Amino acid sequence: MCKLIMNEIISRNPLSNNNSLIHYFLQDINSNMRIAVIGQSLFGQEVYKELRKDGHTIVGVFTIPDKDGKADPLAVEAERDNVAVFKFPRWRLKGQALPEVVAQYKATGAELNVLPFCSQFIPMEVIDHPQHGSIIYHPSLLPRHRGASAINWTLIHGDKKGGFTVFWADDGLDTGPILLQRECDVEANDTVSTIYKRFLFPEGVKGTVDAVRLIAEGKAPRITQPTEGATYECIQKKDNSQIDWNQPAEAVHNWIRGNDKVPGAWATVDGQRVTFFGSSLVASGALPKGQPLEIEGASRPGIVTKAGLMLFGNDGKALLVKNLQMAEGKMIPAGQYFSSGSSAAVELTVEERAFAVWQSILTNVAEIQDSTDFFKSGAASMDVVRLVEEVKLRAAGCHLQNEDVYMNTSFQEFIQMCVRKLRGEDGEEELQVDYVEKEVNNMTVRMPHQLFINGEFVDAEGGKTYKTINPTDGTAICEVSLAQVGDVDRAVAAAKEAFEEGEWGRMNPRDRGRLLYRLADLMEQHQEELATIETMDSGAVYTLALKTHVGMSIQTFRYFAGWCDKIHGSTIPINQARPNRNLTFTKKEPIGVCGIVIPWNYPLMMLAWKTAACLAAGNTVVLKPAQVTPLTAVKFAELAAMAGIPKGVINILPGSGSVVGQRLSDHPDVRKLGFTGSTEIGKHIMKSCAVSNVKKVSLELGGKSPLIIFSDCDMDKAVRSGMSSVFFNKGENCIAAGRLFVEDTIHDAFVARVLVEMKKMKVGDPMDRSTDHGPQNHRAHLEKLLEFCRTGVKEGASLLRGGQQVDRPGFFFEPTLFTDVQDHMYIAVEESFGPVMIVSSFKGGDVDEVLRRANATEYGLASGVFTRDISKALYVSEKLNAGTVFVNTYNKTDVAAPFGGFKQSGFGKDLGQDALNEYLKTKAVTIEY
C-alpha cells in the first residue's frame, strides 16, 4: 500500500522537489524482499539471521522435522522471532509434489527462495514459484564437484583453490546459472572441518546474503555454467572410503583429509578396520624412532611414533596421522596404538559422559556432532560453569577450568581436551628434556641444549651442534643444537598454526595474561638457576645476573601480563553522510608470527623485553638467541612449557645470524621482526624484511651515548653514576656512556676520583659474590676491545688505566680510562661496548657548544646530564637527541618506561605501553546504520 501511495504522488507531481526523497524511499522499500528460507543447520540459522539484519522479511522457514523432540537450530531461531516455521517430512511422494505442502508454501507470498543448506528434495513447483526464483549455496567452485560431497572431493583431488558458489536453482543437479562465486586457498593440511570453519561457513553466510542483496538491487547476474571442467562425484560413504595405497603420499594424505571426519578413510590393520584422522604431510628427512605396524596393501609398514602413525606412499614420501578409530568405535591417539587398551577406553567413557552433558544443556540441537559448537548452539556463560562442573562430577580426574571450554568450543575439541587432561593425570609422558647437568654455585643446574619447536625439544636438522663457551675459563659448557634453514621453516609453520588454528589465537586475553603471570612465577622460582646459567654463559657477575638479568626479566613478564586485557581501540567521530549515520572504531589486533633476534649482553633480559610484549599482544614467536649465549633462552622455553603456554606459541632456535636470522628476515610467513644488535646488521635486516614481504620492523642498534657533567653537579653522585654508566655489566651495555664530557673546572678532580674508584674494583670469578667485574662475553669481543684501546693510544689519547687483558684464564679485560680524547679520534666516535671510559673536557658556561659536540654522532640511544640547575637540566634534556635522557642518574630503566633510540640507533620501543604497539596492527571499522 505504501508503495502504491508513493507512486501515485510521483505521477501527480512529476516536478516536485520531494521526488528525489520519495525515489530514495521507494528504492529502500524495493530492496527489502519477502523471502522463504528453505534449509537447516547452523549455517541456515546464520543466513536467516543476517537476512533479517539486512531488512528483509522472512515470510516462512521450511526445515526438517524435530529429532527426538529437538528442533533444528534454524527452526529454533525463527520460532524465537515468531516467524512461521514449517517442518514437512517430505515435499514429494512418488515423484509428485504434495499439493497441500505446495499450497502452504505459496500462501507465504515469498518473492525469493533462499536455500542455504537443504537436505530435502524441493519440487520445481516451489523452486520456480517466486518472482525472483530460488538461489542455492553450494560449497565448491561450480561446475567442479557437483553433488553432496563437494568439500570432500575438493580435498581428495588436491585442489589448490576451493570456495563456494551461489547459483540459480534449475531442474538439474547443481547445474543452474551462477550468481556469485568466492574462492580461497586450500592449505596443505586442511580438512573438511578446517576449510569449512575458516572460509566456507563464515564467508558462505556473507556470500549468500550478498547474493540476495544483488537480487534486490537488480544487479544479480545469471552466468551459464561451462561444460568444460564439470565434475560430479559420488557421495562419500564408509564403504567407498578405503585407502588405495598404490599412489604417492600426497594423494594418500588428500584421501584421508578429504574423508576427515565423515565418513573417515580406513584400512585393514591386524585384521580389523581402522579409520585414520588428522593427516599432515611430513617433510623429507631422517625417519623418527618408533615401532613398525603392518598395514594391509601398504607399500611398507607404518611407524608408530610418539607424534602419531607415520604412513608412506608408493613414492617413499611420508605423512603423519594423529588419531585412529578402532572397529568398535574407540578413538585413540595414533601414537598409543601399541599401548594397553585402558587408555583408549578412557576416551570412550569421557565422550559418552560429556555427550550426555552437552545434550542436557543444548536442548535445541537435534544431534550433537563432532562439529557442534557450544556457543553457536546457544550456550551462554552460565552454561560454561554448568558444563565444567558436571563433567568434573561425571569424569573424576578431569580437572577443567572455564577457559578450557572457551578454547575448545566444538564437541570434538572439547573431548580431545578432556582426554588429554585425563591422560595427564594418569601419567602421560611429560615434556622430554635432555638436560646437561652441572654442579656449580652450590647447586645443580639442569640445562636444556636443543632447539625448542612446537612445544618439543628437538635436534637440529642433520644433528648439527656447536660448543657454547664459558668466558670465565674458556672451556666448553656443552654442545648446543645449531638450527638450520629447515628448522626455521618448521618453527615458523608451528607458530603460524598456533596463531591461526590453535587455542592461543582463541584465548581470552585475561587467560593469556594468567599464563604469562604463571610463567613469571616459574621464572622467579627458578631465578637462582637462571642467574647461574646466565653467569656461566655470558660472564655476568652473579649478583647482577640475579638482580637485573633475571630480576628485570620477571618484572617485564609481570608488567605485560597485566596489559593483556587492556589492549583496545577507540571510537572516532566522523562526518555523517545524511540521512545515514555512521559508527567508526578502531581495533588493536596481533600481527601474527613474529621473529625476534636478540644480542648476547643481556641474554634473558633482552628475550623478556621483546617476547613479553609480543605475547601479551597475542602473537606467536620464533626467537633466535645470540649464538654465544643460548642457554637461558632454551631454559626459558622449558619454563614456558611448564607454565602451559600452548605448543607453537614460543619457539627457540640457537644458531647463526647468517642462517637463522637471515631466514627469519626472508620468511614470507613472518610478519614482524624485532632485532637488537649492531647498526650494520640492523640495516641488512631492514633491507631483507622490505624485500621479502615488507615486514614490520623494530630495531635497537648501536649507541655512543654522551654524558655531560657540569661543574655544579653533586660530585659524589656524578662519580658513582659515571662509573656505573660505563662499567655496569662489564661495559656490555647498549646505553653505556660512550663518552663523558666533563666541565674543565672539575675535570681533573673528577678523573682523580674515578681512578680511586677503579682501583677498588675487583676483577675475577663472576660467581664470587664480592666480584665487581667479570670476563667479557667471548674471545672475539675481547680482541675487539684490545684493538680499540691500541687505536686510542695510537691516536694520542691518554691511557690512564687498563687497556690490557688480565693475566688469567678466560676473557678478562681491565677496566680502562682514557682522557684527552679529541672529537676526531676513533675512540670518540665508535662504540667500544666494553669497560672503557672516554673523558673529554669542555669549557665552562658554553652549554650549546657541548650540546653540539654531544649530538655530533649518528647514534641516539641514550644520554645523560649532571647538574643542580633545574633550568639547565631541562634545557639540556630537551636538546639532547636521544631516545632516553638521564638527569642526575644513569642506567635507571624501568619496565613501564619506553626504551629505544633515534637516528642510527634504530626505531621502535621496548618496554612500557609503547612496546605493545610494535606488536599490534590497528584496524579501522566504519559501520553505516
Side-chain angles (χ1 to χ4, degrees):
M1 178 62 72
C2 188
K3 290 168 65 176
L4 291 175
I5 294 171
M6 289 298 170
N7 283 323
E8 181 68 16
I9 292 172
I10 293 173
S11 65
R12 293 188 182 187
N13 302 277
L15 300 179
S16 170
N17 291 331
N18 292 324
N19 282 356
S20 60
L21 180 59
I22 295 170
H23 278 297
Y24 176 87
F25 181 69
L26 277 174
Q27 181 183 359
D28 186 59
I29 293 174
N30 288 328
S31 66
N32 297 329
M33 293 192 296
R34 295 169 58 81
I35 295 174
V37 176
I38 305 174
Q40 63 200 71
S41 78
L42 291 170
F43 187 90
Q45 179 190 51
E46 289 300 311
V47 170
Y48 162 86
K49 289 162 61 177
E50 294 302 316
L51 289 174
R52 280 176 53 86
K53 288 180 184 177
D54 239 23
H56 301 291
T57 300
I58 309 301
V59 296
V61 164
F62 298 83
T63 187
I64 57 175
D66 296 353
K67 289 184 179 180
D68 299 324
K70 296 174 182 175
D72 182 83
L74 173 59
V76 172
E77 191 71 31
E79 288 168 346
R80 187 181 296 132
D81 296 331
N82 294 317
V83 171
V85 177
F86 304 86
K87 303 177 182 179
F88 302 135
R90 64 177 64 88
W91 292 71
R92 305 191 322 164
L93 183 63
K94 297 180 179 180
Q96 299 297 315
L98 296 174
E100 64 276 18
V101 171
V102 174
Q104 288 186 65
Y105 160 77
K106 289 183 177 180
T108 63
E111 298 173 321
L112 173 70
N113 292 332
V114 176
L115 285 71
F117 176 80
C118 182
S119 62
Q120 296 178 308
F121 196 97
I122 310 302
M124 292 307 296
E125 290 88 338
V126 173
I127 294 294
D128 292 338
H129 176 73
Q131 172 188 348
H132 296 291
S134 302
I135 61 171
I136 301 177
Y137 165 87
H138 184 78
S140 79
L141 298 174
L142 293 174
R144 192 161 172 79
H145 306 311
R146 293 170 176 160
S149 297
I151 311 175
N152 304 72
W153 287 102
T154 297
L155 300 175
I156 290 170
H157 281 282
D159 292 357
K160 302 302 181 187
K161 295 288 183 182
F164 63 86
T165 305
V166 179
F167 67 97
W168 299 95
D170 64 4
D171 58 358
L173 182 60
D174 303 332
T175 58
I178 294 171
L179 192 163
L180 177 149
Q181 279 188 331
R182 289 181 183 159
E183 68 175 32
C184 68
D185 292 331
V186 179
E187 298 178 2
N189 293 323
D190 262 332
T191 63
V192 173
S193 177
T194 61
I195 195 172
Y196 185 70
K197 290 179 180 178
R198 186 180 76 248
F199 185 82
L200 296 176
F201 185 102
E203 295 302 321
V205 171
K206 295 176 186 176
T208 304
V209 175
D210 287 345
V212 173
R213 195 173 291 134
L214 289 172
I215 295 170
E217 295 170 353
K219 300 177 182 178
R222 291 176 179 265
I223 304 169
T224 302
Q225 291 191 34
T227 56
E228 183 179 356
T231 64
Y232 172 79
E233 293 92 0
C234 63
I235 297 175
Q236 278 303 94
K237 298 180 179 179
K238 198 71 174 180
D239 290 341
N240 61 9
S241 61
Q242 184 175 6
I243 299 170
D244 175 9
W245 296 104
N246 190 28
Q247 52 185 338
E250 185 173 357
V252 175
H253 163 68
N254 288 338
W255 183 261
I256 294 174
R257 69 186 181 124
N259 287 282
D260 189 338
K261 290 291 188 187
V262 177
W266 60 275
T268 301
V269 182
D270 290 336
Q272 67 170 319
R273 180 183 289 187
V274 175
T275 307
F276 302 102
F277 300 106
S279 174
S280 59
L281 290 171
V282 176
S284 58
L287 294 179
K289 295 179 182 178
Q291 193 169 348
L293 177 65
E294 293 291 339
I295 301 172
E296 186 176 301
S299 58
R300 58 190 287 189
I303 303 176
V304 177
T305 72
K306 178 186 172 185
L309 172 60
M310 183 170 285
L311 305 171
F312 301 91
N314 62 7
D315 57 354
K317 295 182 178 179
L319 57 140
L320 187 74
V321 167
K322 291 185 178 179
N323 298 305
L324 303 175
Q325 186 175 37
M326 314 310 287
E328 70 273 21
K330 289 187 292 187
M331 184 82 78
I332 65 170
Q336 296 186 12
Y337 182 84
F338 289 111
S339 301
S340 64
S342 59
S343 61
V346 169
E347 180 154 3
L348 186 62
T349 303
V350 172
E351 183 165 0
E352 288 177 334
R353 295 179 183 184
F355 185 86
V357 179
W358 278 56
Q359 276 196 321
S360 68
I361 295 174
L362 305 179
T363 57
N364 61 322
V365 177
E367 182 179 357
I368 305 294
Q369 300 177 343
D370 281 352
S371 59
T372 300
D373 187 282
F374 193 64
F375 298 103
K376 290 182 179 178
S377 300
S381 57
M382 281 304 298
D383 297 312
V384 172
V385 179
R386 177 183 168 188
L387 175 62
V388 167
E389 295 306 315
E390 286 204 36
V391 170
K392 283 181 182 177
L393 288 173
R394 298 184 186 215
C398 190
H399 300 294
L400 299 184
Q401 303 292 332
N402 290 356
E403 60 266 22
D404 293 324
V405 182
Y406 290 109
M407 292 187 291
N408 301 275
T409 60
S410 75
F411 183 68
Q412 177 193 359
E413 292 169 339
F414 182 80
I415 292 300
Q416 291 174 344
M417 176 269 299
C418 289
V419 172
R420 285 196 302 272
K421 285 183 174 290
L422 275 172
R423 290 210 174 102
E425 294 292 326
D426 293 338
E428 182 186 21
E429 207 172 334
E430 296 180 357
L431 177 68
Q432 298 298 303
V433 187
D434 181 21
Y435 293 109
V436 172
E437 295 189 356
K438 288 190 178 292
E439 294 293 332
V440 62
N441 200 25
N442 298 317
M443 69 178 74
T444 301
V445 294
R446 308 176 75 208
M447 298 174 289
H449 60 100
Q450 295 168 289
L451 314 182
F452 188 74
I453 299 176
N454 201 27
E456 294 182 322
F457 284 107
V458 296
D459 290 335
E461 191 175 77
K464 294 193 175 182
T465 63
Y466 71 99
K467 290 180 172 64
T468 185
I469 304 300
N470 185 339
T472 300
D473 57 13
T475 62
I477 301 172
C478 64
E479 294 275 348
V480 178
S481 294
L482 182 67
Q484 304 299 301
V485 169
D487 299 312
V488 180
D489 291 344
R490 280 188 286 278
V492 171
K496 182 179 181 184
E497 182 179 3
F499 179 76
E500 295 180 353
E501 304 294 336
E503 57 185 295
W504 186 255
R506 303 191 303 269
M507 189 178 292
N508 181 295
R510 198 161 294 168
D511 294 331
R512 189 164 65 239
R514 183 179 54 81
L515 289 180
L516 295 184
Y517 277 123
R518 186 185 299 167
L519 175 54
D521 291 344
L522 282 168
M523 292 172 69
E524 188 169 54
Q525 292 170 26
H526 291 261
Q527 61 184 335
E528 288 85 3
E529 185 179 24
L530 286 167
T532 301
I533 295 171
E534 190 96 331
T535 297
M536 291 172 59
D537 208 21
S538 74
V541 171
Y542 175 76
T543 51
L544 179 67
L546 188 63
K547 177 181 182 295
T548 301
H549 289 233
V550 178
M552 192 172 189
S553 299
I554 296 167
Q555 293 175 27
T556 302
F557 272 97
R558 286 194 174 132
Y559 173 80
F560 283 109
W563 269 108
C564 288
D565 60 354
K566 301 170 187 68
I567 299 170
H568 55 79
S570 59
T571 57
I572 302 170
I574 65 170
N575 288 336
Q576 307 291 339
R578 295 193 178 103
N580 299 312
R581 295 172 63 81
N582 296 281
L583 169 66
T584 296
F585 60 90
T586 59
K587 296 176 66 181
K588 297 287 188 179
E589 298 179 347
I591 294 171
V593 179
C594 297
I596 293 177
V597 180
I598 57 173
W600 43 258
N601 58 327
Y602 294 100
L604 185 63
M605 195 171 79
M606 292 296 98
L607 177 153
W609 280 21
K610 295 189 186 299
T611 304
C614 180
L615 295 176
N619 301 285
T620 55
V621 178
V622 180
L623 180 138
K624 190 198 90 65
Q627 187 171 351
V628 293
T629 53
L631 294 180
T632 44
V634 287
K635 184 67 179 180
F636 167 83
E638 179 193 359
L639 299 179
M642 291 169 60
I645 304 294
K647 291 183 177 182
V649 173
I650 294 173
N651 304 272
I652 307 293
L653 302 179
S656 69
S658 60
V659 174
V660 179
Q662 186 64 56
R663 182 55 181 155
L664 286 173
S665 301
D666 293 337
H667 203 293
D669 290 331
V670 176
R671 295 295 172 184
K672 155 72 197 252
L673 196 137
F675 171 76
T676 295
S678 72
T679 298
E680 178 185 4
I681 299 300
K683 290 178 179 179
H684 180 78
I685 284 176
M686 191 173 177
K687 180 179 179 180
S688 296
C689 289
V691 170
S692 58
N693 61 346
V694 197
K695 291 176 180 63
K696 186 173 183 179
V697 181
S698 56
L699 304 172
E700 195 250 281
L701 308 176
K704 189 69 174 175
S705 302
L707 173 58
I708 303 172
I709 301 175
F710 289 99
S711 60
D712 62 351
C713 69
D714 179 329
M715 180 65 84
D716 290 340
K717 181 182 286 188
V719 170
R720 285 196 307 272
S721 294
M723 292 283 291
S724 173
S725 73
V726 175
F727 301 122
F728 189 82
N729 198 47
K730 310 164 292 172
E732 295 167 356
N733 188 17
C734 51
I735 59 171
R739 194 172 179 197
L740 277 66
F741 295 92
V742 182
E743 193 166 344
D744 54 4
T745 56
I746 64 166
H747 174 275
D748 293 348
F750 177 84
V751 170
R753 292 279 299 273
V754 167
L755 281 169
V756 170
E757 296 302 318
M758 289 179 69
K759 290 175 183 177
K760 298 177 183 177
M761 293 176 66
K762 179 181 177 181
V763 179
D765 182 357
M767 293 292 183
D768 187 331
R769 305 311 193 257
S770 65
T771 295
D772 299 302
H773 193 89
Q776 305 308 136
N777 187 275
H778 51 281
R779 183 176 298 280
H781 183 52
L782 172 64
E783 297 294 340
K784 177 187 171 185
L785 288 173
L786 292 169
E787 180 59 30
F788 185 88
C789 292
R790 284 193 289 266
T791 301
V793 172
K794 184 177 179 180
E795 289 187 334
S798 298
L799 177 62
L800 300 190
R801 186 174 180 83
Q804 301 295 322
Q805 182 174 356
V806 178
D807 185 17
R808 60 171 291 165
F811 311 139
F812 291 86
F813 181 79
E814 297 174 343
T816 299
L817 173 61
F818 277 104
T819 60
D820 301 322
V821 179
Q822 305 304 308
D823 294 352
H824 67 276
M825 292 181 179
Y826 177 84
I827 64 172
V829 176
E830 296 300 324
E831 180 181 27
S832 72
F833 210 67
V836 182
M837 181 179 286
I838 297 168
V839 181
S840 300
S841 65
F842 68 93
K843 292 182 179 180
D846 200 345
V847 176
D848 289 329
E849 174 60 16
V850 72
L851 281 170
R852 182 196 65 77
R853 295 172 66 192
N855 285 328
T857 173
E858 275 300 299
Y859 301 111
L861 189 56
S863 59
V865 56
F866 277 81
T867 176
R868 286 189 172 95
D869 185 336
I870 187 64
S871 298
K872 187 189 297 180
L874 290 172
Y875 178 77
V876 170
S877 64
E878 178 185 334
K879 295 298 182 181
L880 282 170
N881 194 4
T884 297
V885 180
F886 298 107
V887 178
N888 294 329
T889 187
Y890 209 90
N891 283 328
K892 187 158 286 189
T893 54
D894 187 86
V895 295
F899 180 92
F902 299 160
K903 299 186 287 186
Q904 291 197 47
S905 288
F907 52 84
K909 297 295 181 184
D910 291 328
L911 304 180
Q913 184 178 359
D914 288 30
L916 290 168
N917 292 326
E918 303 298 328
Y919 299 96
L920 292 167
K921 56 189 179 185
T922 301
K923 178 184 290 182
V925 180
T926 296
I927 302 172
E928 186 174 279
Y929 62 98

